Structure formats: structure tokens, C-alpha cells
mmCIF file with all atom_site columns, all heavy atoms in Angstrom:
data_model
loop_
_atom_site.group_PDB
_atom_site.id
_atom_site.type_symbol
_atom_site.label_atom_id
_atom_site.label_alt_id
_atom_site.label_comp_id
_atom_site.label_asym_id
_atom_site.label_entity_id
_atom_site.label_seq_id
_atom_site.pdbx_PDB_ins_code
_atom_site.Cartn_x
_atom_site.Cartn_y
_atom_site.Cartn_z
_atom_site.occupancy
_atom_site.B_iso_or_equiv
_atom_site.pdbx_formal_charge
_atom_site.auth_seq_id
_atom_site.auth_comp_id
_atom_site.auth_asym_id
_atom_site.auth_atom_id
_atom_site.pdbx_PDB_model_num
ATOM 1   N N   . PHE A 1 1  ? -30.022 78.110 5.131   1.00 0.00 ? 1  PHE A N   1
ATOM 2   C CA  . PHE A 1 1  ? -30.979 78.720 4.201   1.00 0.00 ? 1  PHE A CA  1
ATOM 3   C C   . PHE A 1 1  ? -30.433 78.716 2.784   1.00 0.00 ? 1  PHE A C   1
ATOM 4   O O   . PHE A 1 1  ? -31.137 78.386 1.835   1.00 0.00 ? 1  PHE A O   1
ATOM 5   C CB  . PHE A 1 1  ? -31.304 80.150 4.656   1.00 0.00 ? 1  PHE A CB  1
ATOM 6   C CG  . PHE A 1 1  ? -32.161 80.896 3.685   1.00 0.00 ? 1  PHE A CG  1
ATOM 7   C CD1 . PHE A 1 1  ? -33.516 80.625 3.580   1.00 0.00 ? 1  PHE A CD1 1
ATOM 8   C CD2 . PHE A 1 1  ? -31.622 81.862 2.853   1.00 0.00 ? 1  PHE A CD2 1
ATOM 9   C CE1 . PHE A 1 1  ? -34.317 81.305 2.685   1.00 0.00 ? 1  PHE A CE1 1
ATOM 10  C CE2 . PHE A 1 1  ? -32.399 82.550 1.948   1.00 0.00 ? 1  PHE A CE2 1
ATOM 11  C CZ  . PHE A 1 1  ? -33.758 82.270 1.866   1.00 0.00 ? 1  PHE A CZ  1
ATOM 12  N N   . LEU A 1 2  ? -29.171 79.078 2.610   1.00 0.00 ? 2  LEU A N   1
ATOM 13  C CA  . LEU A 1 2  ? -28.566 79.125 1.279   1.00 0.00 ? 2  LEU A CA  1
ATOM 14  C C   . LEU A 1 2  ? -28.471 77.733 0.649   1.00 0.00 ? 2  LEU A C   1
ATOM 15  O O   . LEU A 1 2  ? -28.699 77.574 -0.551  1.00 0.00 ? 2  LEU A O   1
ATOM 16  C CB  . LEU A 1 2  ? -27.192 79.782 1.334   1.00 0.00 ? 2  LEU A CB  1
ATOM 17  C CG  . LEU A 1 2  ? -27.199 81.280 1.657   1.00 0.00 ? 2  LEU A CG  1
ATOM 18  C CD1 . LEU A 1 2  ? -25.774 81.804 1.822   1.00 0.00 ? 2  LEU A CD1 1
ATOM 19  C CD2 . LEU A 1 2  ? -27.938 82.062 0.598   1.00 0.00 ? 2  LEU A CD2 1
ATOM 20  N N   . ILE A 1 3  ? -28.179 76.738 1.447   1.00 0.00 ? 3  ILE A N   1
ATOM 21  C CA  . ILE A 1 3  ? -28.123 75.362 0.942   1.00 0.00 ? 3  ILE A CA  1
ATOM 22  C C   . ILE A 1 3  ? -29.513 74.910 0.504   1.00 0.00 ? 3  ILE A C   1
ATOM 23  O O   . ILE A 1 3  ? -29.679 74.319 -0.566  1.00 0.00 ? 3  ILE A O   1
ATOM 24  C CB  . ILE A 1 3  ? -27.532 74.406 2.005   1.00 0.00 ? 3  ILE A CB  1
ATOM 25  C CG1 . ILE A 1 3  ? -26.039 74.703 2.184   1.00 0.00 ? 3  ILE A CG1 1
ATOM 26  C CG2 . ILE A 1 3  ? -27.764 72.946 1.621   1.00 0.00 ? 3  ILE A CG2 1
ATOM 27  C CD1 . ILE A 1 3  ? -25.401 73.991 3.345   1.00 0.00 ? 3  ILE A CD1 1
ATOM 28  N N   . ALA A 1 4  ? -30.528 75.202 1.297   1.00 0.00 ? 4  ALA A N   1
ATOM 29  C CA  . ALA A 1 4  ? -31.897 74.832 0.939   1.00 0.00 ? 4  ALA A CA  1
ATOM 30  C C   . ALA A 1 4  ? -32.351 75.557 -0.323  1.00 0.00 ? 4  ALA A C   1
ATOM 31  O O   . ALA A 1 4  ? -33.008 74.978 -1.189  1.00 0.00 ? 4  ALA A O   1
ATOM 32  C CB  . ALA A 1 4  ? -32.844 75.146 2.096   1.00 0.00 ? 4  ALA A CB  1
ATOM 33  N N   . LEU A 1 5  ? -31.984 76.818 -0.448  1.00 0.00 ? 5  LEU A N   1
ATOM 34  C CA  . LEU A 1 5  ? -32.347 77.590 -1.624  1.00 0.00 ? 5  LEU A CA  1
ATOM 35  C C   . LEU A 1 5  ? -31.681 77.030 -2.880  1.00 0.00 ? 5  LEU A C   1
ATOM 36  O O   . LEU A 1 5  ? -32.311 76.897 -3.922  1.00 0.00 ? 5  LEU A O   1
ATOM 37  C CB  . LEU A 1 5  ? -31.957 79.061 -1.431  1.00 0.00 ? 5  LEU A CB  1
ATOM 38  C CG  . LEU A 1 5  ? -32.378 80.038 -2.514  1.00 0.00 ? 5  LEU A CG  1
ATOM 39  C CD1 . LEU A 1 5  ? -33.891 80.066 -2.649  1.00 0.00 ? 5  LEU A CD1 1
ATOM 40  C CD2 . LEU A 1 5  ? -31.842 81.417 -2.194  1.00 0.00 ? 5  LEU A CD2 1
ATOM 41  N N   . ALA A 1 6  ? -30.423 76.675 -2.782  1.00 0.00 ? 6  ALA A N   1
ATOM 42  C CA  . ALA A 1 6  ? -29.706 76.095 -3.929  1.00 0.00 ? 6  ALA A CA  1
ATOM 43  C C   . ALA A 1 6  ? -30.311 74.761 -4.331  1.00 0.00 ? 6  ALA A C   1
ATOM 44  O O   . ALA A 1 6  ? -30.467 74.468 -5.514  1.00 0.00 ? 6  ALA A O   1
ATOM 45  C CB  . ALA A 1 6  ? -28.226 75.938 -3.589  1.00 0.00 ? 6  ALA A CB  1
ATOM 46  N N   . ALA A 1 7  ? -30.703 73.957 -3.375  1.00 0.00 ? 7  ALA A N   1
ATOM 47  C CA  . ALA A 1 7  ? -31.314 72.657 -3.670  1.00 0.00 ? 7  ALA A CA  1
ATOM 48  C C   . ALA A 1 7  ? -32.667 72.844 -4.347  1.00 0.00 ? 7  ALA A C   1
ATOM 49  O O   . ALA A 1 7  ? -33.022 72.113 -5.259  1.00 0.00 ? 7  ALA A O   1
ATOM 50  C CB  . ALA A 1 7  ? -31.470 71.848 -2.386  1.00 0.00 ? 7  ALA A CB  1
ATOM 51  N N   . GLN A 1 8  ? -33.421 73.833 -3.921  1.00 0.00 ? 8  GLN A N   1
ATOM 52  C CA  . GLN A 1 8  ? -34.724 74.088 -4.503  1.00 0.00 ? 8  GLN A CA  1
ATOM 53  C C   . GLN A 1 8  ? -34.592 74.502 -5.962  1.00 0.00 ? 8  GLN A C   1
ATOM 54  O O   . GLN A 1 8  ? -35.355 74.070 -6.812  1.00 0.00 ? 8  GLN A O   1
ATOM 55  C CB  . GLN A 1 8  ? -35.449 75.175 -3.719  1.00 0.00 ? 8  GLN A CB  1
ATOM 56  C CG  . GLN A 1 8  ? -36.840 75.475 -4.249  1.00 0.00 ? 8  GLN A CG  1
ATOM 57  C CD  . GLN A 1 8  ? -37.524 76.570 -3.462  1.00 0.00 ? 8  GLN A CD  1
ATOM 58  O OE1 . GLN A 1 8  ? -36.900 77.265 -2.679  1.00 0.00 ? 8  GLN A OE1 1
ATOM 59  N NE2 . GLN A 1 8  ? -38.805 76.723 -3.679  1.00 0.00 ? 8  GLN A NE2 1
ATOM 60  N N   . ASP A 1 9  ? -33.638 75.334 -6.282  1.00 0.00 ? 9  ASP A N   1
ATOM 61  C CA  . ASP A 1 9  ? -33.451 75.800 -7.650  1.00 0.00 ? 9  ASP A CA  1
ATOM 62  C C   . ASP A 1 9  ? -33.073 74.671 -8.601  1.00 0.00 ? 9  ASP A C   1
ATOM 63  O O   . ASP A 1 9  ? -33.384 74.721 -9.775  1.00 0.00 ? 9  ASP A O   1
ATOM 64  C CB  . ASP A 1 9  ? -32.382 76.898 -7.715  1.00 0.00 ? 9  ASP A CB  1
ATOM 65  C CG  . ASP A 1 9  ? -32.872 78.202 -7.113  1.00 0.00 ? 9  ASP A CG  1
ATOM 66  O OD1 . ASP A 1 9  ? -34.101 78.368 -6.959  1.00 0.00 ? 9  ASP A OD1 1
ATOM 67  O OD2 . ASP A 1 9  ? -32.030 79.055 -6.800  1.00 0.00 ? 9  ASP A OD2 1
ATOM 68  N N   . SER A 1 10 ? -32.405 73.653 -8.101  1.00 0.00 ? 10 SER A N   1
ATOM 69  C CA  . SER A 1 10 ? -31.978 72.560 -8.970  1.00 0.00 ? 10 SER A CA  1
ATOM 70  C C   . SER A 1 10 ? -32.984 71.410 -8.985  1.00 0.00 ? 10 SER A C   1
ATOM 71  O O   . SER A 1 10 ? -32.742 70.394 -9.597  1.00 0.00 ? 10 SER A O   1
ATOM 72  C CB  . SER A 1 10 ? -30.611 72.048 -8.512  1.00 0.00 ? 10 SER A CB  1
ATOM 73  O OG  . SER A 1 10 ? -30.708 71.498 -7.214  1.00 0.00 ? 10 SER A OG  1
ATOM 74  N N   . TRP A 1 11 ? -34.102 71.555 -8.301  1.00 0.00 ? 11 TRP A N   1
ATOM 75  C CA  . TRP A 1 11 ? -35.064 70.471 -8.171  1.00 0.00 ? 11 TRP A CA  1
ATOM 76  C C   . TRP A 1 11 ? -35.682 70.103 -9.507  1.00 0.00 ? 11 TRP A C   1
ATOM 77  O O   . TRP A 1 11 ? -35.707 68.964 -9.894  1.00 0.00 ? 11 TRP A O   1
ATOM 78  C CB  . TRP A 1 11 ? -36.137 70.865 -7.157  1.00 0.00 ? 11 TRP A CB  1
ATOM 79  C CG  . TRP A 1 11 ? -37.178 69.822 -6.999  1.00 0.00 ? 11 TRP A CG  1
ATOM 80  C CD1 . TRP A 1 11 ? -38.451 69.875 -7.457  1.00 0.00 ? 11 TRP A CD1 1
ATOM 81  C CD2 . TRP A 1 11 ? -37.053 68.557 -6.353  1.00 0.00 ? 11 TRP A CD2 1
ATOM 82  N NE1 . TRP A 1 11 ? -39.129 68.737 -7.140  1.00 0.00 ? 11 TRP A NE1 1
ATOM 83  C CE2 . TRP A 1 11 ? -38.294 67.911 -6.459  1.00 0.00 ? 11 TRP A CE2 1
ATOM 84  C CE3 . TRP A 1 11 ? -36.023 67.913 -5.710  1.00 0.00 ? 11 TRP A CE3 1
ATOM 85  C CZ2 . TRP A 1 11 ? -38.517 66.637 -5.928  1.00 0.00 ? 11 TRP A CZ2 1
ATOM 86  C CZ3 . TRP A 1 11 ? -36.255 66.651 -5.187  1.00 0.00 ? 11 TRP A CZ3 1
ATOM 87  C CH2 . TRP A 1 11 ? -37.484 66.036 -5.295  1.00 0.00 ? 11 TRP A CH2 1
ATOM 88  N N   . GLY A 1 12 ? -36.229 71.038 -10.222 1.00 0.00 ? 12 GLY A N   1
ATOM 89  C CA  . GLY A 1 12 ? -36.844 70.737 -11.505 1.00 0.00 ? 12 GLY A CA  1
ATOM 90  C C   . GLY A 1 12 ? -37.689 71.895 -11.996 1.00 0.00 ? 12 GLY A C   1
ATOM 91  O O   . GLY A 1 12 ? -37.898 72.869 -11.297 1.00 0.00 ? 12 GLY A O   1
ATOM 92  N N   . ALA A 1 13 ? -38.184 71.748 -13.193 1.00 0.00 ? 13 ALA A N   1
ATOM 93  C CA  . ALA A 1 13 ? -38.975 72.814 -13.811 1.00 0.00 ? 13 ALA A CA  1
ATOM 94  C C   . ALA A 1 13 ? -40.427 72.746 -13.337 1.00 0.00 ? 13 ALA A C   1
ATOM 95  O O   . ALA A 1 13 ? -40.940 71.680 -13.033 1.00 0.00 ? 13 ALA A O   1
ATOM 96  C CB  . ALA A 1 13 ? -38.931 72.666 -15.326 1.00 0.00 ? 13 ALA A CB  1
ATOM 97  N N   . VAL A 1 14 ? -41.061 73.912 -13.289 1.00 0.00 ? 14 VAL A N   1
ATOM 98  C CA  . VAL A 1 14 ? -42.489 74.002 -12.993 1.00 0.00 ? 14 VAL A CA  1
ATOM 99  C C   . VAL A 1 14 ? -43.168 74.527 -14.252 1.00 0.00 ? 14 VAL A C   1
ATOM 100 O O   . VAL A 1 14 ? -42.817 75.588 -14.758 1.00 0.00 ? 14 VAL A O   1
ATOM 101 C CB  . VAL A 1 14 ? -42.771 74.942 -11.796 1.00 0.00 ? 14 VAL A CB  1
ATOM 102 C CG1 . VAL A 1 14 ? -44.273 75.097 -11.579 1.00 0.00 ? 14 VAL A CG1 1
ATOM 103 C CG2 . VAL A 1 14 ? -42.092 74.429 -10.539 1.00 0.00 ? 14 VAL A CG2 1
ATOM 104 N N   . THR A 1 15 ? -44.122 73.749 -14.771 1.00 0.00 ? 15 THR A N   1
ATOM 105 C CA  . THR A 1 15 ? -44.852 74.111 -15.976 1.00 0.00 ? 15 THR A CA  1
ATOM 106 C C   . THR A 1 15 ? -46.324 74.247 -15.626 1.00 0.00 ? 15 THR A C   1
ATOM 107 O O   . THR A 1 15 ? -46.869 73.419 -14.895 1.00 0.00 ? 15 THR A O   1
ATOM 108 C CB  . THR A 1 15 ? -44.691 73.015 -17.058 1.00 0.00 ? 15 THR A CB  1
ATOM 109 O OG1 . THR A 1 15 ? -43.305 72.845 -17.333 1.00 0.00 ? 15 THR A OG1 1
ATOM 110 C CG2 . THR A 1 15 ? -45.420 73.386 -18.333 1.00 0.00 ? 15 THR A CG2 1
ATOM 111 N N   . GLU A 1 16 ? -46.965 75.291 -16.132 1.00 0.00 ? 16 GLU A N   1
ATOM 112 C CA  . GLU A 1 16 ? -48.398 75.479 -15.935 1.00 0.00 ? 16 GLU A CA  1
ATOM 113 C C   . GLU A 1 16 ? -49.086 75.390 -17.298 1.00 0.00 ? 16 GLU A C   1
ATOM 114 O O   . GLU A 1 16 ? -48.583 75.927 -18.279 1.00 0.00 ? 16 GLU A O   1
ATOM 115 C CB  . GLU A 1 16 ? -48.689 76.832 -15.300 1.00 0.00 ? 16 GLU A CB  1
ATOM 116 C CG  . GLU A 1 16 ? -48.098 76.958 -13.910 1.00 0.00 ? 16 GLU A CG  1
ATOM 117 C CD  . GLU A 1 16 ? -48.573 78.198 -13.179 1.00 0.00 ? 16 GLU A CD  1
ATOM 118 O OE1 . GLU A 1 16 ? -49.798 78.491 -13.209 1.00 0.00 ? 16 GLU A OE1 1
ATOM 119 O OE2 . GLU A 1 16 ? -47.731 78.870 -12.576 1.00 0.00 ? 16 GLU A OE2 1
ATOM 120 N N   . ILE A 1 17 ? -50.229 74.689 -17.329 1.00 0.00 ? 17 ILE A N   1
ATOM 121 C CA  . ILE A 1 17 ? -50.994 74.638 -18.569 1.00 0.00 ? 17 ILE A CA  1
ATOM 122 C C   . ILE A 1 17 ? -52.414 75.131 -18.308 1.00 0.00 ? 17 ILE A C   1
ATOM 123 O O   . ILE A 1 17 ? -52.927 75.038 -17.194 1.00 0.00 ? 17 ILE A O   1
ATOM 124 C CB  . ILE A 1 17 ? -51.007 73.241 -19.222 1.00 0.00 ? 17 ILE A CB  1
ATOM 125 C CG1 . ILE A 1 17 ? -51.638 72.192 -18.315 1.00 0.00 ? 17 ILE A CG1 1
ATOM 126 C CG2 . ILE A 1 17 ? -49.625 72.830 -19.650 1.00 0.00 ? 17 ILE A CG2 1
ATOM 127 C CD1 . ILE A 1 17 ? -51.904 70.872 -19.018 1.00 0.00 ? 17 ILE A CD1 1
ATOM 128 N N   . TYR A 1 18 ? -53.026 75.629 -19.380 1.00 0.00 ? 18 TYR A N   1
ATOM 129 C CA  . TYR A 1 18 ? -54.362 76.210 -19.331 1.00 0.00 ? 18 TYR A CA  1
ATOM 130 C C   . TYR A 1 18 ? -55.218 75.548 -20.399 1.00 0.00 ? 18 TYR A C   1
ATOM 131 O O   . TYR A 1 18 ? -54.701 74.992 -21.361 1.00 0.00 ? 18 TYR A O   1
ATOM 132 C CB  . TYR A 1 18 ? -54.273 77.725 -19.574 1.00 0.00 ? 18 TYR A CB  1
ATOM 133 C CG  . TYR A 1 18 ? -53.455 78.448 -18.524 1.00 0.00 ? 18 TYR A CG  1
ATOM 134 C CD1 . TYR A 1 18 ? -52.069 78.545 -18.634 1.00 0.00 ? 18 TYR A CD1 1
ATOM 135 C CD2 . TYR A 1 18 ? -54.073 79.012 -17.422 1.00 0.00 ? 18 TYR A CD2 1
ATOM 136 C CE1 . TYR A 1 18 ? -51.321 79.192 -17.659 1.00 0.00 ? 18 TYR A CE1 1
ATOM 137 C CE2 . TYR A 1 18 ? -53.337 79.665 -16.445 1.00 0.00 ? 18 TYR A CE2 1
ATOM 138 C CZ  . TYR A 1 18 ? -51.955 79.749 -16.564 1.00 0.00 ? 18 TYR A CZ  1
ATOM 139 O OH  . TYR A 1 18 ? -51.216 80.385 -15.601 1.00 0.00 ? 18 TYR A OH  1
ATOM 140 N N   . PRO A 1 19 ? -56.570 75.625 -20.242 1.00 0.00 ? 19 PRO A N   1
ATOM 141 C CA  . PRO A 1 19 ? -57.455 75.052 -21.256 1.00 0.00 ? 19 PRO A CA  1
ATOM 142 C C   . PRO A 1 19 ? -57.065 75.532 -22.655 1.00 0.00 ? 19 PRO A C   1
ATOM 143 O O   . PRO A 1 19 ? -56.693 76.686 -22.849 1.00 0.00 ? 19 PRO A O   1
ATOM 144 C CB  . PRO A 1 19 ? -58.841 75.573 -20.861 1.00 0.00 ? 19 PRO A CB  1
ATOM 145 C CG  . PRO A 1 19 ? -58.734 75.767 -19.376 1.00 0.00 ? 19 PRO A CG  1
ATOM 146 C CD  . PRO A 1 19 ? -57.326 76.251 -19.155 1.00 0.00 ? 19 PRO A CD  1
ATOM 147 N N   . GLY A 1 20 ? -57.134 74.611 -23.600 1.00 0.00 ? 20 GLY A N   1
ATOM 148 C CA  . GLY A 1 20 ? -56.743 74.919 -24.968 1.00 0.00 ? 20 GLY A CA  1
ATOM 149 C C   . GLY A 1 20 ? -55.331 74.462 -25.282 1.00 0.00 ? 20 GLY A C   1
ATOM 150 O O   . GLY A 1 20 ? -54.949 74.322 -26.438 1.00 0.00 ? 20 GLY A O   1
ATOM 151 N N   . GLU A 1 21 ? -54.531 74.232 -24.240 1.00 0.00 ? 21 GLU A N   1
ATOM 152 C CA  . GLU A 1 21 ? -53.174 73.720 -24.441 1.00 0.00 ? 21 GLU A CA  1
ATOM 153 C C   . GLU A 1 21 ? -53.214 72.196 -24.362 1.00 0.00 ? 21 GLU A C   1
ATOM 154 O O   . GLU A 1 21 ? -54.163 71.612 -23.842 1.00 0.00 ? 21 GLU A O   1
ATOM 155 C CB  . GLU A 1 21 ? -52.223 74.300 -23.387 1.00 0.00 ? 21 GLU A CB  1
ATOM 156 C CG  . GLU A 1 21 ? -52.082 75.796 -23.473 1.00 0.00 ? 21 GLU A CG  1
ATOM 157 C CD  . GLU A 1 21 ? -51.164 76.382 -22.414 1.00 0.00 ? 21 GLU A CD  1
ATOM 158 O OE1 . GLU A 1 21 ? -50.715 75.658 -21.513 1.00 0.00 ? 21 GLU A OE1 1
ATOM 159 O OE2 . GLU A 1 21 ? -50.907 77.581 -22.506 1.00 0.00 ? 21 GLU A OE2 1
ATOM 160 N N   . SER A 1 22 ? -52.190 71.556 -24.856 1.00 0.00 ? 22 SER A N   1
ATOM 161 C CA  . SER A 1 22 ? -52.141 70.099 -24.892 1.00 0.00 ? 22 SER A CA  1
ATOM 162 C C   . SER A 1 22 ? -51.634 69.520 -23.569 1.00 0.00 ? 22 SER A C   1
ATOM 163 O O   . SER A 1 22 ? -50.474 69.713 -23.200 1.00 0.00 ? 22 SER A O   1
ATOM 164 C CB  . SER A 1 22 ? -51.244 69.621 -26.032 1.00 0.00 ? 22 SER A CB  1
ATOM 165 O OG  . SER A 1 22 ? -51.090 68.218 -25.975 1.00 0.00 ? 22 SER A OG  1
ATOM 166 N N   . PHE A 1 23 ? -52.514 68.780 -22.889 1.00 0.00 ? 23 PHE A N   1
ATOM 167 C CA  . PHE A 1 23 ? -52.124 68.093 -21.665 1.00 0.00 ? 23 PHE A CA  1
ATOM 168 C C   . PHE A 1 23 ? -51.081 67.036 -21.983 1.00 0.00 ? 23 PHE A C   1
ATOM 169 O O   . PHE A 1 23 ? -50.083 66.887 -21.284 1.00 0.00 ? 23 PHE A O   1
ATOM 170 C CB  . PHE A 1 23 ? -53.354 67.461 -21.003 1.00 0.00 ? 23 PHE A CB  1
ATOM 171 C CG  . PHE A 1 23 ? -53.038 66.679 -19.761 1.00 0.00 ? 23 PHE A CG  1
ATOM 172 C CD1 . PHE A 1 23 ? -52.840 67.328 -18.562 1.00 0.00 ? 23 PHE A CD1 1
ATOM 173 C CD2 . PHE A 1 23 ? -52.933 65.303 -19.797 1.00 0.00 ? 23 PHE A CD2 1
ATOM 174 C CE1 . PHE A 1 23 ? -52.541 66.608 -17.403 1.00 0.00 ? 23 PHE A CE1 1
ATOM 175 C CE2 . PHE A 1 23 ? -52.645 64.576 -18.654 1.00 0.00 ? 23 PHE A CE2 1
ATOM 176 C CZ  . PHE A 1 23 ? -52.442 65.235 -17.454 1.00 0.00 ? 23 PHE A CZ  1
ATOM 177 N N   . LYS A 1 24 ? -51.309 66.306 -23.066 1.00 0.00 ? 24 LYS A N   1
ATOM 178 C CA  . LYS A 1 24 ? -50.397 65.229 -23.459 1.00 0.00 ? 24 LYS A CA  1
ATOM 179 C C   . LYS A 1 24 ? -48.990 65.756 -23.712 1.00 0.00 ? 24 LYS A C   1
ATOM 180 O O   . LYS A 1 24 ? -48.007 65.205 -23.222 1.00 0.00 ? 24 LYS A O   1
ATOM 181 C CB  . LYS A 1 24 ? -50.922 64.519 -24.704 1.00 0.00 ? 24 LYS A CB  1
ATOM 182 C CG  . LYS A 1 24 ? -50.057 63.382 -25.167 1.00 0.00 ? 24 LYS A CG  1
ATOM 183 C CD  . LYS A 1 24 ? -50.619 62.715 -26.403 1.00 0.00 ? 24 LYS A CD  1
ATOM 184 C CE  . LYS A 1 24 ? -49.674 61.607 -26.833 1.00 0.00 ? 24 LYS A CE  1
ATOM 185 N NZ  . LYS A 1 24 ? -50.092 60.962 -28.055 1.00 0.00 ? 24 LYS A NZ  1
ATOM 186 N N   . ALA A 1 25 ? -48.882 66.840 -24.470 1.00 0.00 ? 25 ALA A N   1
ATOM 187 C CA  . ALA A 1 25 ? -47.564 67.418 -24.763 1.00 0.00 ? 25 ALA A CA  1
ATOM 188 C C   . ALA A 1 25 ? -46.875 67.900 -23.491 1.00 0.00 ? 25 ALA A C   1
ATOM 189 O O   . ALA A 1 25 ? -45.668 67.719 -23.324 1.00 0.00 ? 25 ALA A O   1
ATOM 190 C CB  . ALA A 1 25 ? -47.696 68.570 -25.756 1.00 0.00 ? 25 ALA A CB  1
#
């Protein structure tokens, strides 16, 4: 479990965008 958790944290960033924000950026 700890190994899987550590791997998940280093996977990458999660970004959320909403209408009005730049999809391209």
C-alpha cells in the first residue's frame, strides 16, 4: 500500500479548468 501511494504521488499534477479559463494555456 505504501509503495502504491508513493508512486501515485509522483505520477503527475492534476489541473481542473472551468468556463472562462483558457483551455489552450
Side-chain angles (χ1 to χ4, degrees):
F1 174 75
L2 292 174
I3 290 171
L5 185 61
Q8 181 181 13
D9 288 342
S10 64
W11 178 253
V14 176
T15 302
E16 297 190 45
I17 61 169
Y18 298 85
E21 297 179 353
S22 174
F23 178 80
K24 181 180 178 183

